[in-house]
Amino acid sequence: MPNLERVAPAFQAMAHEIVWASVVTVDRRDRPRGRVLHPFWEWDGASLVGWVATAPTPLKRAHLARNEHVSINYWAPSQDTCVAECGARWHFDAETRERVWNRYLELPEPLGYDPKIIPGWTGPDVDAFAVLRFDPWYLRVFPGTALLGQGGDVLVWQAD
């Protein structure tokens, strides 16, 4: 199985190219609930961490309070897909919220954007704005070329 140093950069590149991801939580009856979010990923050569600005709705908060695990799936019309299975943690502290807000402003479009386009998000300090951190324990990168028999490596990593 490939190591994280090989899989994480490939995952980050594909995820950042696709931009939008289906993020699935689990409700109190163990049923999946999906929504589309706009995470970005930071790879420092040793660890991969995902971040997303999102509204801390009662439903999301209840799901993650009960079960912190999420499945994050990216798909492109080219059939490129990548998946991250992660632990998710809320961040409501001012420092993290401001850092993630500013990171979205700094990233190139379409990954980067001005969070103020979201109704109610006038700044990183409003109650309607929070941050989720994703710490993956499983990654899969599946190029569409591999699916179509045109070459390309399917990469999988799983934490011990």
Side-chain angles (χ1 to χ4, degrees):
M1 182 177 300
N3 61 22
L4 183 62
E5 291 77 16
R6 181 166 178 221
V7 179
F11 174 87
Q12 181 187 36
M14 186 179 285
H16 284 186
E17 184 175 316
I18 296 171
V19 179
W20 294 94
S22 295
V23 179
V24 178
T25 57
V26 178
D27 74 9
R28 62 185 168 83
R29 294 183 183 166
D30 293 323
R31 298 174 301 194
R33 174 68 67 94
R35 75 256 316 135
V36 176
L37 295 176
H38 189 148
F40 67 87
W41 297 85
E42 296 179 325
W43 168 245
D44 66 6
S47 66
L48 180 69
V49 176
W51 300 96
V52 71
T54 189
T57 65
L59 187 64
K60 283 183 214 159
R61 291 180 78 156
H63 286 191
L64 292 172
R66 184 179 176 281
N67 185 332
E68 71 173 11
H69 295 97
V70 298
S71 180
I72 304 171
N73 189 351
Y74 293 85
W75 173 84
S78 64
Q79 304 308 322
D80 286 347
T81 63
C82 58
V83 174
E85 307 290 350
C86 304
R89 265 185 304 157
W90 287 107
H91 285 266
F92 297 100
D93 63 285
E95 181 181 339
T96 303
R97 292 177 0 162
E98 186 171 335
R99 187 180 82 73
V100 169
W101 181 281
N102 289 333
R103 189 73 179 117
Y104 275 112
L105 291 171
E106 297 162 356
L107 288 165
E109 291 183 6
L111 188 60
Y113 68 98
D114 185 346
K116 287 182 181 177
I117 67 170
I118 307 297
W121 287 9
T122 55
D125 56 345
V126 297
D127 291 341
F129 177 84
V131 171
L132 278 173
R133 175 186 167 132
F134 302 125
D135 293 293
W137 57 269
Y138 172 86
L139 297 171
R140 185 185 72 202
V141 179
F142 198 120
T145 55
L147 177 68
L148 302 172
Q150 300 169 346
D153 292 331
V154 176
L155 302 175
V156 176
W157 169 83
Q158 186 166 337
D160 296 329

